[in-house]
Amino acid sequence: MLNLSKIKHKDSKNFLLMAGPCAIEGEDIALRIAEKVVKIADKLAIPYIFKGSFKKANRSRIDSFTGIGDEKALKILEKIGKQFDVPTVTDIHESTDAAMAAAYVDVLQIPAFLCRQTDLLLAAAETGKYVNVKKGQFLSASSMKFAVDKIKENGNNNVILTDRGNTFGYQDLIVDYRGIPEMKSFNVPVVMDCTHSLQQPNQTTGITGGKPALIETIAKAAIAVGADGLFIETHDDIKNAKSDAANMLELNLLEDLLVKLIRVREAIL
């Protein structure tokens, strides 16, 4: 289990859960979602990290929602961490983001498209925080060893790798589950992103599509092949979500899904 001081249920045999809205849309919404997921995680004894992007830098259209302001969003993440006593994770996109975000959150996440950006990885490593690197859609699992090496060779052994599918044509992704044991061989925790792996990018509207009905399928398969954790974007008002609404999980479906996944986990241990 991760060596995070705030993570609860670390002695549980359950998988790690990173979950929350795609983006921090406002304090009330973020606190409401955090409270509901924390209650579920505590009830099921699942180690939990709240997820929320403080800004969205990779958008198809110029009019897409990108955030409510960096400092404002980061302060909300900090408040969630303190109020619910849970670790928090957010994406960073530039080297200058690393130290800024590290002052508010416990885990820095490297977006998939940026997983080869050496300066970004090194800046994240230098904060001493856990660094969750999303596997690029364009990379093999074996090539992620070099991302791990960049962080560890900069003096930080706190690395997580997250799979989020491989590019399959122009408008779809596919998950190669061979990648999970491959990345686990690097001696780091491996997480499956169950929602972004179901995106359908590059739509002609400029708005990414998705197949959220398959979240359970992706999650079950990931646990079955030994994933250490799951990454699930969730929202309690998806129709009004400002980012990635097409592939998020309805929050009211989360608990039942996690109960099923715990049974899968128990079956393979």
Side-chain angles (χ1 to χ4, degrees):
M1 187 49 63
L2 306 184
N3 184 29
L4 279 168
S5 59
K6 285 196 292 187
I7 201 162
K8 294 181 282 187
H9 313 297
K10 64 177 62 179
D11 296 324
S12 165
K13 292 183 179 180
N14 283 329
F15 46 85
L16 170 73
L17 175 65
M18 294 186 189
C22 177
I24 299 299
E25 302 172 9
E27 183 172 316
D28 290 345
I29 297 172
L31 288 170
R32 187 174 70 234
I33 294 171
E35 181 178 20
K36 291 177 180 178
V37 182
V38 166
K39 285 181 178 178
I40 294 169
D42 283 344
K43 178 181 178 180
L44 301 178
I46 293 176
Y48 173 54
I49 300 174
F50 177 86
K51 182 271 167 185
S53 297
F54 78 93
K55 67 178 175 182
K56 304 299 297 183
N58 178 23
R59 304 286 90 185
S60 295
R61 291 168 38 162
I62 196 168
D63 60 348
S64 296
F65 174 79
T66 58
I68 60 173
D70 295 356
E71 187 176 13
K72 183 177 180 180
L74 286 167
K75 285 183 175 179
I76 291 171
L77 284 161
E78 181 182 45
K79 182 172 182 176
I80 288 169
K82 290 179 178 178
Q83 183 166 322
F84 299 107
D85 193 27
V86 294
T88 55
V89 55
T90 198
D91 311 77
I92 59 172
H93 304 87
E94 302 178 35
S95 301
T96 53
D97 289 345
M100 175 182 65
Y104 297 93
V105 302
D106 305 280
V107 181
L108 300 178
Q109 183 166 283
I110 308 299
F113 281 121
L114 301 178
C115 68
R116 293 187 62 189
Q117 296 296 104
T118 300
D119 288 348
L120 182 60
L121 291 168
L122 297 185
E126 287 169 2
T127 67
K129 300 283 184 173
Y130 265 91
V131 183
N132 179 32
V133 187
K134 292 279 195 78
K135 185 188 78 64
Q137 304 92 317
F138 46 87
L139 291 178
S140 67
S142 60
S143 64
M144 290 304 291
K145 180 181 184 298
F146 303 111
V148 174
D149 289 345
K150 288 175 183 178
I151 295 167
K152 288 189 172 183
E153 290 176 13
N154 206 38
N156 187 342
N157 291 317
N158 301 322
V159 186
I160 307 166
L161 293 179
T162 294
D163 196 351
R164 51 99 74 234
N166 293 358
T167 299
F168 188 66
Y170 290 106
Q171 295 176 328
D172 211 352
L173 299 169
I174 190 166
V175 178
D176 181 353
Y177 286 97
R178 297 174 299 176
I180 290 177
E182 177 80 30
M183 292 191 290
K184 282 172 67 74
S185 72
F186 308 148
N187 297 314
V188 298
V190 175
V191 172
M192 182 71 228
D193 184 339
C194 304
T195 45
H196 287 101
S197 59
L198 290 167
Q199 282 184 334
Q200 294 181 302
N202 303 319
Q203 299 295 315
T204 55
T205 59
I207 300 173
T208 297
K211 295 181 178 180
L214 291 174
I215 290 171
E216 182 173 326
T217 301
I218 296 291
K220 284 179 175 176
I223 294 298
V225 299
D228 300 296
L230 300 173
F231 180 105
I232 298 175
E233 288 191 338
T234 185
H235 201 291
D236 63 357
D237 186 17
I238 284 181
K239 66 180 182 299
N240 291 312
K242 295 183 178 180
S243 180
D244 278 6
N247 53 269
M248 280 197 281
L249 180 72
E250 293 276 1
L251 185 51
N252 62 6
L253 301 177
L254 180 62
E255 183 172 349
D256 286 347
L257 173 61
L258 294 175
V259 169
K260 293 177 183 177
L261 296 175
I262 287 172
R263 291 182 188 140
V264 176
R265 176 81 164 184
E266 291 170 346
I268 67 169
L269 291 179

